Amino acid sequence: MGSNDRPTRRLAGGRFFRKCRWSSVGELVVRPTPQWRDFGAKEYTNASDIPKDSNQLPKGLLVAKLPYNAQITPMLEIEAPAGLKIGMETDNYRGGGEPNIRAEYITRDGRQSYESLGWMNGHAVHYTMPPGVRIIGLKYRETGYDSAFTGSFTCDDPLLEKLHAKAARTLYVTMRDSYMDCPDRERAQWWGDAVLEIEETFYAMDRRSDALSRKAILELAAWQRPDGSLYSPIPATNWDKELPLQMLASVGLKGFWTYAEHSGDLETLRTVYPAVRRYLHLWKVSPEGRVAQRKGGWAWGDWGKNVDMQLLTDAWYHLALQGLRRMAESLDHPEDLPWIDDQMKRISTNFDAAHWKDGAYRSDGHKGRTDDRGNGLAVVAGLVPPSRFSELRQHFRAEFNASPYMEKYVLEALFLMGDA
């Protein structure tokens, strides 16, 4: 390679590669996550019921069942004349409403095999075949992020055990080269989802999952804009809008700090600390403890109705400051503590008096029913005195506004209130 030669680097496992500079592609860097886990070719769970002749298929449809929602590539081995079209998609083909990933295969004459390499996900693969196809075998290959299920949960309630298994599978099917909001429609690393998924890995997966979390954290900070704002999903070429409350969730106690607390990886925190500090300084808190809402690119608090944005903003910013404070202590930045403590004190000192109305928390500008998600997050943030718990329980029993994303914090609040 002549003048473009770069020093040889050793990778994990004793493998070598030469780090080279190419004018057309830029500089090669070490992949931060492992290659996919390949589970090999597998039989569908209803393989014994799959007919051998496409003439036997009702309306040409063959449903091949998977054991769970997985990232898969469908495979086929057939004998057919040339020019027939075979379709492959999953039952999640219209997840989210719009068409997602599917595949088509045009036969040649004779015996042949094919694997569609664009991965898709679902609980079953739908093969559509015209008459005249002899089915020798249908299989699938499951791939996914290279991490294993290690967490466990047992109890005397089979429904809860099933819920735990489904939750672990839901987590795994949204892990690949990044965390995802959904594996069928967008496959995008929205950081509100990543906050929950990162925490779940410590209860469900082995520690190889930490590499995916570290990659997500480093990427979010690396794409910080010149004005100090943050946005996700990144990297992206068609999106650059800040969702302010998702960013507060990401960089704070429930996001970056949760990763560091469970993994012990303070070096990643050291790398991103300046970005977090800079971002949180964009937010302003009045002497009365109101956090000024940032419009950003999309002022989104949650799906659904009755979102109390001011309540959520105050609670999320307080949680973000809690995370920054623990980072500052762990990384030896005592110079930042006075500002952090002043901001936190303004919010906590005034929160109850400013928002408590008629047995629940609601901001002055909020119209509509009491926001269960905002009240739950206030409990999680430590802004609610125990004397308020009894009245809040009544609202949590009556209000169901939160999406699954924010319901997590309502449930966590009930545990913190001693009402499991």
Side-chain angles (χ1 to χ4, degrees):
M1 294 184 183
S3 61
N4 283 329
D5 280 2
R6 285 301 181 102
T8 299
R9 298 272 305 274
R10 180 184 293 273
L11 294 178
R15 293 176 288 118
F16 289 89
F17 82 107
R18 186 169 296 279
K19 191 176 182 184
C20 307
R21 186 180 300 279
W22 297 84
S23 60
S24 59
V25 295
E27 188 172 353
L28 299 178
V29 296
V30 178
R31 176 184 171 93
T33 57
Q35 285 288 353
W36 325 130
R37 173 171 288 195
D38 183 346
F39 294 87
K42 295 183 177 182
E43 300 276 358
Y44 291 103
T45 60
N46 62 333
S48 60
D49 299 327
I50 293 176
K52 299 300 183 183
D53 187 344
S54 65
N55 294 308
Q56 301 174 10
L57 299 177
K59 298 183 179 179
L61 175 63
L62 189 156
V63 178
K65 296 181 180 178
L66 298 164
Y68 40 75
N69 191 354
Q71 299 174 8
I72 64 97
T73 51
M75 310 168 74
L76 56 81
E77 186 174 0
I78 60 170
E79 188 171 359
L84 300 183
K85 182 169 70 175
I86 297 175
M88 289 161 278
E89 62 189 51
T90 73
D91 56 338
N92 277 37
Y93 173 54
R94 289 189 176 272
E98 297 298 321
N100 298 308
I101 299 293
R102 64 184 298 271
E104 290 181 353
Y105 175 71
I106 306 300
T107 63
R108 58 177 173 81
D109 188 51
R111 184 164 177 163
Q112 57 210 282
S113 60
Y114 174 71
E115 178 177 3
S116 178
L117 298 182
W119 71 270
M120 50 189 82
N121 82 288
H123 302 84
V125 177
H126 293 180
Y127 292 85
T128 54
M129 298 185 182
V133 178
R134 185 168 77 89
I135 302 170
I136 300 170
L138 300 179
K139 294 183 179 182
Y140 70 95
R141 183 188 308 278
E142 180 185 356
T143 58
Y145 184 80
D146 190 16
S147 181
F149 294 98
T150 54
S152 62
F153 171 78
T154 57
C155 72
D156 59 1
D157 187 338
L159 183 61
L160 288 180
E161 291 185 336
K162 186 175 183 179
L163 176 62
H164 179 272
K166 282 181 171 287
R169 278 289 165 194
T170 300
L171 168 64
Y172 187 66
V173 82
T174 56
M175 298 170 65
R176 197 169 176 92
D177 57 347
S178 67
Y179 291 107
M180 304 174 233
D181 60 335
C182 48
D184 43 29
R185 181 168 61 96
E186 291 181 332
R187 301 181 177 180
Q189 190 166 257
W190 291 95
W191 250 93
D193 302 84
V195 167
L196 304 187
E197 290 160 348
I198 288 171
E199 183 177 20
E200 289 167 19
T201 64
F202 294 108
Y203 296 89
M205 313 305 296
D206 68 24
R207 299 289 33 91
R208 281 174 292 187
S209 60
D210 293 351
L212 192 64
S213 304
R214 181 166 55 250
K215 172 179 177 285
I217 290 169
L218 292 173
E219 284 175 346
L220 183 61
W223 263 261
Q224 188 169 38
R225 289 187 288 210
D227 65 0
S229 61
L230 299 168
Y231 68 97
S232 73
I234 44 89
T237 58
N238 61 348
W239 180 268
D240 62 354
K241 295 177 176 58
E242 174 194 1
L243 277 70
L245 297 193
Q246 277 202 17
M247 293 301 95
L248 290 179
S250 305
V251 303
L253 191 71
K254 294 299 180 180
F256 287 12
W257 179 256
T258 290
Y259 164 76
E261 183 177 38
H262 286 280
S263 69
D265 179 10
L266 291 182
E267 285 310 304
T268 296
L269 277 195
R270 197 178 309 279
T271 301
V272 302
Y273 181 81
V276 177
R277 177 176 55 195
R278 186 181 178 203
Y279 180 66
L280 293 187
H281 272 273
L282 296 179
W283 294 76
K284 306 301 178 186
V285 183
S286 71
E288 297 75 33
R290 304 287 203 290
V291 182
Q293 296 182 41
R294 284 178 54 81
K295 184 178 180 180
W298 184 7
W300 185 87
D302 188 29
W303 299 121
K305 300 178 180 178
N306 301 307
V307 180
D308 191 333
M309 286 297 291
Q310 186 62 58
L311 197 61
L312 287 175
T313 299
D314 291 354
W316 273 130
Y317 189 59
H318 197 273
L319 282 164
L321 290 169
Q322 290 179 45
L324 183 65
R325 194 182 201 289
R326 297 191 190 188
M327 291 183 209
E329 290 179 322
S330 301
L331 302 175
D332 195 24
H333 285 286
E335 70 279 5
D336 293 331
L337 294 178
W339 178 83
I340 297 171
D341 289 341
D342 178 67
Q343 299 290 94
M344 291 177 62
K345 185 176 181 180
R346 290 188 194 186
I347 299 169
S348 60
T349 301
N350 295 286
F351 187 85
D352 193 77
H355 296 306
W356 184 258
K357 300 175 180 67
D358 300 324
Y361 292 98
R362 55 189 300 125
S363 61
D364 290 336
H366 177 61
K367 308 296 182 184
R369 298 180 65 89
T370 296
D371 184 1
D372 53 327
R373 59 178 81 77
N375 279 264
L377 196 67
V379 173
V380 173
L383 296 170
V384 179
S387 60
R388 303 296 195 196
F389 287 176
S390 178
E391 290 176 276
L392 281 186
R393 288 189 186 101
Q394 305 308 313
H395 286 278
F396 291 147
R397 291 189 177 100
E399 301 292 346
F400 298 93
N401 302 297
S403 75
Y405 164 56
M406 288 301 296
E407 181 71 13
K408 185 264 190 189
Y409 299 104
V410 178
L411 296 175
E412 187 173 344
L414 288 168
F415 277 95
L416 290 171
M417 294 161 61
D419 197 6

